[in-house]
Amino acid sequence: MTLRGRLTAAFLVVVLGPVLLGAFFVASTVTAVDRSRSTERLAVAASTVRTSVDALCQQLRAAADAVALTGDPAVAAGQLVGRGLAAAVLVTDVNGRVTYASPDAPPTPWRDCSEPATASSGPVRALAARVDRRDPTGAPMGTVAAAHLVDPAFVARLAAVTGVAVTLLDDGASAARFTHTTESREVRDAVLAAAGGTSDERVTETPKGRYVRRIGPSAGQPLPLVLSVPSERPPMLHVTLAGVVVLAGLLAVFTAWRLARVTTRPLAELAGAVDRVAHGDLTARVPVRSHDELGRLAAAFNRMTRETGSYVAALTSSRDQLRGHLAVLGDTLASTHDLQRILRVILHSAIAATGARAGAVLLVEAGGVLVAQCGEGLDGRWPAGDPDGSQGLRVPVGVGVVGAVAATGEPQRGRMEPSDVPTGEPRCRTYVAVPFATPGSATTPGGATSLGGATTTVPGGERSLDESGAPAAALGVLALYDRVGADEFDDDDLDTLRTFAGHAAVAVENVRVHEEAQRLSLTDPLTGLWNYRYLRESIRREVERASRFGRMLSVLALDLDRFKDVNDTYGHAAGDTVLAEFARRVRGEIREVDLAFRQGGEEFVLLLPETDARGAAIVAERLGAAVRETPIAVEAYAGPIVVTVSVGIAVYPDHGSTGREVLEAADDALYAAKAAGRDTYRVAEARPDVPTREIPVPAGAVSPPDGLPRAGRPVQVPREPGGHARSESAAGVPESNRSGPAHARPDPADEPAATAADAARAGPDGARPGPGGGASSGPHPPRQSRGR
């Protein structure tokens, strides 16, 4: 939209806004007042109708009482009818037979004053009051009913009393038919339609401008009536208001167009000059024709174009160069967690931005040594005979230029003579080095520092502080050497280098956070073991590996017995201590290649690659002994806590063809161990669909040449004297439980065999790991299999 259009629109909003709001306010106010007054009139009319009908019913009830109290009902009834107190009287006996009826009485049934009409009551012909007739002893003699005719005259009297139009409906449930009405033919159908749309006494409005209210039938007012009053709104109100708004709008549009045209005409020349400048013509000038705001704007524009022309050429090249470096840096930071690549991009961008010939990014590693992660232009800068030059830049923290920067947290820049170059750093003429710490550290102004007899002053230098106000430990140093032109690095270079050092700090911290997040997502925070999420991935991977190389995989499901009692007796803090100590003992009983997981609560899972049921049973026996024989001490309690563990064992491929099936088989075996009395282990049942065949082998049979058990059919081992026959998949279990769902501990006579099997599953070393065994059960990277 042009400026002229915007000015016109603004003027129209300012002018037409109040006009539209005023018209809306007038229309809504008149409508609200009219509806309120009409509602009030209908409420008064409804009250008057109820009062009138109630007075009539009282009169009829008094007439019926007078007839009931006389000895000759016919005479009394004739007198009441003659005096106009009732239109008709009907006397019945106790059996309901009519004993007297007034001449010309309206047809029955009459509408009783004390009962509301029903949906099938029909049109109302008369309104009656009924009383019981009794003899002097109080015995019932029948009833007397006094009626009043409900005709057009009656409805007209109601309309005259209330001051509204009255319509008597045919029945109390529908407004489709009426008996008598005072409405005109023009509005009758609309009134009845509006009355039929409501089932209570709410006020509704018809399209023809009448307000309608439906009352009755109800107790005390049994007549179904519809009351209506005409609207008092001025005719053609909305049309008049719409005409006023349209006329005001036309006048406002014409006035706005004139004002906008006068205002924007002086800006046309400025707009043309701006277009020329936008197309690269910085020689464009605007004539100054006045001294008002537009004249000052034209003069300022001319001055701006003159000054802009002198900067464009200088800024173009540097802008394009910086834009390219920042684009590469931003893309690298956003698209990768490769720290080496990020640091190389940061170093290259810093060198290009400052005009340095060489540089390096160093990170502080264990032992307080700065190690160069990447460097550029350092070849040929090492002193003769320096053996470290070819291996990379390594500087202890606090030694040399970069070491002092890392130790003090203060940036340094200056000039250095060849004789002053610290040992281990490259030769240079000029240098600048900036530390970078954890992102979010505060900074404070620094000062001068002295190194090797040469004082280097850093005006406006900053020193990183941590949250407590102490100097923040540096993550590393960004150092540049030998600015092009042999000039020293200035404050602008220092500021630029601080920016790139900040990027380096963010990159290092992001990589560390990413690695920590990966670790936390796969480990249990209480025990340090792998979590259930990593269990699902690991068991799938191990089953695939075992299937690929024809090996076995044992899965042990462990559950601490009655662990709920520990929590209930000693508290959850003691329970957490027991879980952590149990995890530590588990790590001490398994190998480096074994995997330990906390599945949830007091449930744990072990994956033993290349281990058969015999080896798994040995591990289960060792775990049970390690937990049972040494109670767990808790600091908050005087005595140690005794716990035991139940173990379920399943082997791939004997007990399942997938990781999930093997894990479920181990869970079933765990339940069997629980059912057997706890503090024991059981081996899962072999799958019935897997055919088995025993192959006799010599008693002195040995493991395969590689010392690893093979997946396949169970191998029968000859019975030793005084011992039991064992198959490779069922060694270490009683003969009586061989075909059952669970296995018991190995007999003492089988300990030599157990030792051999244990040595086989432990690999060439054949030794059980000690308490500090390095099992892959904590925050270590996932193990890679051979051949992958």
Side-chain angles (χ1 to χ4, degrees):
M1 180 182 291
T2 62
L3 177 60
R4 181 178 298 181
R6 290 196 297 272
L7 291 175
T8 303
F11 184 83
L12 291 177
V13 169
V14 171
V15 174
L16 291 182
V19 174
L20 292 175
L21 290 177
F24 176 77
F25 176 77
V26 170
S28 60
T29 302
V30 171
T31 301
V33 170
D34 178 58
R35 183 178 182 86
S36 175
R37 294 182 61 182
S38 300
T39 302
E40 183 178 357
R41 290 181 59 189
L42 289 175
V44 172
S47 177
T48 303
V49 167
R50 291 191 182 94
T51 303
S52 301
V53 172
D54 183 67
L56 178 59
C57 288
Q58 294 295 335
Q59 176 182 326
L60 294 175
R61 192 170 293 108
D65 285 335
V67 174
L69 294 176
T70 62
D72 189 355
V75 175
Q79 293 176 355
L80 290 174
V81 173
R83 295 170 58 184
L85 296 178
V89 175
L90 182 66
V91 181
T92 60
D93 59 12
V94 293
N95 296 322
R97 293 191 299 272
V98 178
T99 60
Y100 173 79
S102 299
D104 300 326
T108 58
W110 299 338
R111 184 65 53 86
D112 196 337
C113 288
S114 60
E115 295 180 359
T118 60
S120 60
S121 59
V124 180
R125 301 302 181 187
L127 190 63
R130 191 179 306 275
V131 298
D132 294 332
R133 183 169 173 241
R134 298 179 182 275
D135 60 12
T137 63
M141 297 176 61
T143 60
V144 176
H148 188 281
L149 186 63
V150 178
D151 54 4
F154 175 79
V155 175
R157 285 196 300 272
L158 287 180
V161 171
T162 58
V164 300
V166 180
T167 300
L168 176 64
L169 301 178
D170 262 4
D171 53 52
S174 173
R177 301 189 307 273
F178 66 95
T179 304
H180 308 295
T181 182
T182 62
E183 299 281 0
S184 63
R185 294 181 179 275
E186 292 78 9
V187 300
R188 181 186 303 165
D189 294 337
V191 169
L192 292 177
T198 178
S199 60
D200 52 15
E201 296 191 4
R202 290 182 299 179
V203 177
T204 59
E205 186 178 2
T206 67
K208 295 187 177 182
R210 294 186 69 86
Y211 292 95
V212 180
R213 178 173 179 174
R214 182 175 177 179
I215 63 172
S218 61
Q221 202 290 101
L223 300 178
L225 301 175
V226 176
L227 310 180
S228 71
V229 293
S231 173
E232 297 181 357
R233 285 195 300 267
M236 306 294 289
L237 173 64
H238 293 87
V239 175
T240 303
L241 291 176
V244 171
V245 171
V246 170
L247 181 59
L250 293 176
L251 293 176
V253 168
F254 177 76
T255 305
W257 178 79
R258 290 290 299 174
L259 291 175
R261 186 170 181 271
V262 171
T263 303
T264 57
R265 182 182 298 173
L267 297 175
E269 294 177 347
L270 180 61
V274 170
D275 288 337
R276 292 171 58 190
V277 171
H279 288 85
D281 183 9
L282 295 179
T283 62
R285 298 294 183 268
V286 178
V288 180
R289 302 183 182 277
S290 63
H291 298 286
D292 57 4
E293 289 80 0
L294 293 178
R296 290 198 299 270
L297 178 62
F301 174 81
N302 294 336
R303 186 167 58 254
M304 178 193 67
T305 54
R306 286 193 299 269
E307 294 177 357
T308 302
S310 61
Y311 291 110
V312 169
L315 292 177
T316 301
S317 60
S318 60
R319 178 201 61 190
D320 295 339
Q321 183 180 12
L322 182 60
R323 182 181 300 170
H325 289 304
L326 290 178
V328 173
L329 179 59
D331 293 341
T332 304
L333 289 175
S335 62
T336 182
H337 285 101
D338 185 353
L339 183 60
Q340 299 295 326
R341 178 185 173 189
I342 295 174
L343 295 181
R344 284 195 301 270
V345 173
I346 292 174
L347 177 62
H348 179 73
S349 301
I351 290 175
T354 58
R357 297 182 183 273
V361 179
L362 302 92
L363 297 182
V364 178
E365 294 190 354
V369 178
L370 283 165
V371 179
Q373 303 298 315
C374 60
E376 186 171 337
L378 297 179
D379 295 340
R381 292 181 176 272
W382 305 103
D386 188 350
D388 295 333
S390 59
Q391 302 299 325
L393 183 58
R394 299 177 61 88
V395 180
V397 175
V399 177
V401 174
V402 294
V405 170
T408 62
E410 298 178 357
Q412 294 186 22
R413 64 177 177 84
R415 183 179 294 274
M416 185 179 297
E417 298 299 329
S419 59
D420 298 332
V421 175
T423 303
E425 297 190 30
R427 294 192 299 264
C428 63
R429 292 288 184 182
T430 58
Y431 68 91
V432 59
V434 175
F436 52 90
T438 303
S441 300
T443 57
T444 184
T449 183
S450 177
L451 179 66
T455 300
T456 304
T457 303
V458 183
E462 295 179 348
R463 184 170 183 172
S464 299
L465 302 178
D466 60 14
E467 295 179 354
S468 63
L475 294 176
V477 176
L478 175 58
L480 301 182
Y481 304 103
D482 291 344
R483 184 178 181 182
V484 175
D487 295 331
E488 292 187 17
F489 293 95
D490 54 22
D491 293 340
D492 293 336
D493 296 327
L494 191 63
D495 293 338
T496 302
L497 202 60
R498 283 197 191 98
T499 301
F500 287 105
H503 288 306
V506 171
V508 173
E509 186 66 16
N510 285 345
V511 171
R512 291 181 178 178
V513 169
H514 177 71
E515 293 175 351
E516 180 66 11
Q518 276 190 321
R519 184 189 69 82
L520 292 177
S521 68
L522 298 177
T523 57
D524 174 58
L526 175 62
T527 62
L529 303 180
W530 300 114
N531 59 18
Y532 179 71
R533 173 185 177 187
Y534 191 56
L535 169 62
R536 294 182 300 175
E537 175 185 346
S538 299
I539 196 170
R540 177 190 56 78
R541 185 179 63 247
E542 293 298 336
V543 166
E544 290 178 357
R545 181 184 293 113
S547 175
R548 185 183 307 117
F549 296 104
R551 307 295 188 186
M552 286 185 171
L553 171 67
S554 291
V555 178
L556 275 65
L558 296 80
D559 187 272
L560 291 176
D561 298 327
R562 297 184 176 89
F563 184 73
K564 184 177 183 300
D565 296 341
V566 175
N567 282 334
D568 295 342
T569 304
Y570 304 100
H572 289 278
D576 292 344
T577 302
V578 171
L579 291 175
E581 175 61 19
F582 175 72
R584 187 190 68 79
R585 296 184 186 183
V586 168
R587 285 194 293 265
E589 297 296 334
I590 59 178
R591 303 170 300 175
E592 176 80 20
V593 297
D594 297 334
L595 299 172
F597 306 85
R598 183 185 180 192
Q599 190 172 10
E602 69 273 18
E603 299 179 1
F604 298 81
V605 174
L606 297 182
L607 299 185
L608 310 180
E610 300 177 346
T611 303
D612 56 10
R614 174 64 177 171
I618 295 173
V619 174
E621 181 67 26
R622 286 209 310 258
L623 288 174
V627 176
R628 180 191 324 107
E629 296 172 359
T630 306
I632 298 175
V634 179
E635 294 182 2
Y637 303 96
I641 300 175
V642 179
V643 294
T644 58
V645 63
S646 298
V647 184
I649 300 173
V651 181
Y652 171 84
D654 295 344
H655 303 127
S657 57
T658 65
R660 180 175 181 179
E661 292 178 358
V662 178
L663 187 59
E664 290 177 351
D667 284 338
D668 294 339
L670 174 61
Y671 288 126
K674 291 283 187 180
R678 299 182 175 85
D679 190 18
T680 185
Y681 69 89
R682 290 292 184 269
V683 180
E685 291 184 352
R687 290 186 297 174
D689 58 337
V690 178
T692 60
R693 178 171 58 91
E694 294 186 353
I695 302 176
V697 296
V702 296
S703 299
D706 56 4
L708 301 176
R710 301 292 184 181
R713 305 295 183 267
V715 179
Q716 181 69 30
V717 180
R719 187 188 306 268
E720 296 288 345
H724 301 280
R726 298 280 189 264
S727 67
E728 183 176 300
S729 63
V733 268
E735 189 72 19
S736 59
N737 291 340
R738 182 72 52 77
S739 60
H743 295 255
R745 304 174 189 166
D747 296 331
D750 296 323
E751 287 303 322
T755 304
D758 190 24
R761 70 175 290 279
D765 294 340
R768 186 181 74 183
S776 182
S777 56
H780 307 293
R783 178 175 62 85
Q784 298 295 326
S785 65
R786 295 179 299 170
R788 281 194 171 189

